[in-house]
Amino acid sequence: MLFNIFPVLLIFFSVAVIVIVVGRRLPEIVALDLSELPRAVSAAGKRALLVRRLEDQLRAMLTPVAGKIAPLRQRLAERTSALYRRLMTLEARYRNPLPQSQEEGGVVAVSDVDALLAVARAAEEEGKTVDAERDYLGVIQVDHHNVAAYRGLARLYVKDENYNEARQSLEFARGLDANNDAIYSELAELAVKEGKLEEARLAYEQAANLAPESVAYRIGLGDILLQLGELPSATGAFEEAVAIESSNPRCLDRLIEVCILGGNKRLAISSLRQLKAVNPDNNKLSEFQERIAAMPAKKSNRSRAVAQTTPTDE
């Protein structure tokens, strides 16, 4: 008999559950407006369309920008990689002892360092910047006081417009060899690229003091003085260059130019005569001659005195 009552109770319980669920959800079902369903579907479709159009416009705008950013991202990755290699080299320098050579009594052979330096220079000349930097750092790992390697690194960094690291390399090299005129010249060239003309002037002056026979340093100094507007000092620098190499057309060219700018007609004429003698085919001879001819002649001291004492008609 129990088995006959159990199905009836199960049916009754199921019906009760259905009644309870329908009773709770009935207000929501009654409040549902079937006429609003098409509008909702249409609005959702419009929103999806607008989103797709916005995505297409953003994609069209960002694609060219991404193309421009890609080279910058690649360059940043290369610099980061180079910095990592330098850090690893420095870390290895202090972690590992220097390689020892039995033939030289425990000291690295000079020929070995020269060979490593030659490899680095070859890579630099071939334009293999990454390889050259690695090789120069390898030379420094073997010989911490190798000035040529630091100067090589500075050249690479200047070419890459990494002026901060170039300056650090050159200043370290100067600390190792304070009487090396070439280092001061390279510091001057770096200062010019950075727009630090006064600093470039001081570096060129130091280079010229260390190498009194150098024409290049005096021309560089004269060019800086010319940019600074110090025409008399620039004239003196170019005159010194001509005194060292009187037949150098480059020196005479600079001297004539600064004489014209400074109004020193007499020196301009004599320098032009000298340039014609050493380089008669110079393309600038006729131009210089015309510019000098257009210069006003300076009055002598006697002429100025006469002009001051001569009474004027009233």
Side-chain angles (χ1 to χ4, degrees):
M1 183 175 180
L2 180 62
F3 292 102
N4 293 332
I5 296 174
F6 183 75
V8 175
L9 294 175
L10 183 61
I11 293 171
F12 179 78
F13 180 75
S14 300
V15 172
V17 171
I18 293 172
V19 171
I20 293 172
V21 172
V22 172
R24 289 182 177 180
R25 297 298 181 184
L26 183 60
E28 297 178 9
I29 297 174
V30 172
L32 183 62
D33 188 357
L34 297 179
S35 63
E36 294 294 334
L37 289 177
R39 296 180 183 177
V41 173
S42 176
K46 290 180 180 179
R47 284 196 299 271
L49 179 60
L50 289 174
V51 170
R52 286 197 300 271
R53 288 180 179 176
L54 181 59
E55 289 177 349
D56 293 339
Q57 291 178 1
L58 289 175
R59 191 177 296 107
M61 292 171 58
L62 294 177
T63 298
V65 176
K68 295 179 180 179
I69 293 177
L72 297 177
R73 187 170 60 247
Q74 181 179 1
R75 187 173 181 181
L76 178 61
E78 291 176 355
R79 288 194 174 184
T80 303
S81 177
L83 177 60
Y84 175 79
R85 287 194 305 274
R86 288 195 291 275
L87 290 176
M88 289 300 98
T89 301
L90 292 174
E91 191 271 339
R93 177 197 302 178
Y94 293 106
R95 186 185 67 243
N96 301 324
L98 294 176
Q100 301 297 312
S101 171
Q102 296 179 355
E103 296 180 359
E104 299 294 330
V107 180
V108 179
V110 175
S111 59
D112 295 338
V113 176
D114 291 342
L116 293 172
L117 194 60
V119 172
R121 285 172 175 165
E124 179 186 356
E125 292 173 359
E126 293 174 7
K128 299 177 181 178
T129 305
V130 175
D131 294 342
E133 181 186 29
R134 179 199 61 210
D135 295 335
Y136 279 128
L137 288 171
V139 173
I140 293 172
Q141 183 179 357
V142 174
D143 180 7
H144 301 343
H145 300 87
N146 194 291
V147 174
Y150 286 107
R151 291 176 59 197
L153 283 175
R155 288 193 300 270
L156 295 177
Y157 297 147
V158 169
K159 189 176 297 183
D160 196 35
E161 297 183 358
N162 195 346
Y163 299 143
N164 186 39
E165 292 197 17
R167 177 173 296 280
Q168 291 178 7
S169 299
L170 287 174
E171 288 179 349
F172 196 87
R174 181 179 59 183
L176 296 173
D177 188 1
N179 294 322
N180 191 322
D181 57 278
I183 296 176
Y184 287 97
S185 174
E186 290 164 358
L187 282 169
E189 294 172 2
L190 176 60
V192 171
K193 291 182 180 296
E194 294 177 311
K196 302 176 180 178
L197 296 183
E198 191 60 39
E199 187 175 321
R201 169 188 183 168
L202 295 175
Y204 268 130
E205 287 177 347
Q206 186 64 29
N209 290 334
L210 291 171
E213 75 288 351
S214 174
V215 169
Y217 298 160
R218 279 159 179 76
I219 290 179
L221 176 60
D223 288 340
I224 296 299
L225 293 169
L226 196 57
Q227 293 183 60
L228 291 171
E230 300 183 18
L231 296 182
S233 298
T235 303
F238 292 132
E239 282 186 290
E240 290 178 1
V242 171
I244 297 171
E245 293 185 10
S246 58
S247 60
N248 189 326
R250 185 184 177 196
C251 302
L252 292 166
D253 182 292
R254 291 288 209 286
L255 181 57
I256 295 170
E257 183 68 36
V258 74
C259 286
I260 294 174
L261 293 175
N264 193 338
K265 188 170 185 178
R266 179 179 298 178
L267 183 57
I269 292 173
S270 63
S271 300
L272 178 61
R273 188 181 303 115
Q274 194 172 351
L275 180 61
K276 288 180 180 179
V278 300
N279 190 10
D281 298 327
N282 193 302
N283 296 327
K284 299 179 69 174
L285 290 177
S286 58
E287 175 192 342
F288 281 146
Q289 191 163 353
E290 292 176 1
R291 293 173 64 188
I292 292 173
M295 293 174 65
K298 281 189 175 182
K299 293 182 179 181
S300 64
N301 294 334
R302 182 179 178 183
S303 299
R304 285 196 296 269
V306 171
Q308 292 174 359
T309 57
T310 302
T312 57
D313 297 332
E314 295 183 358

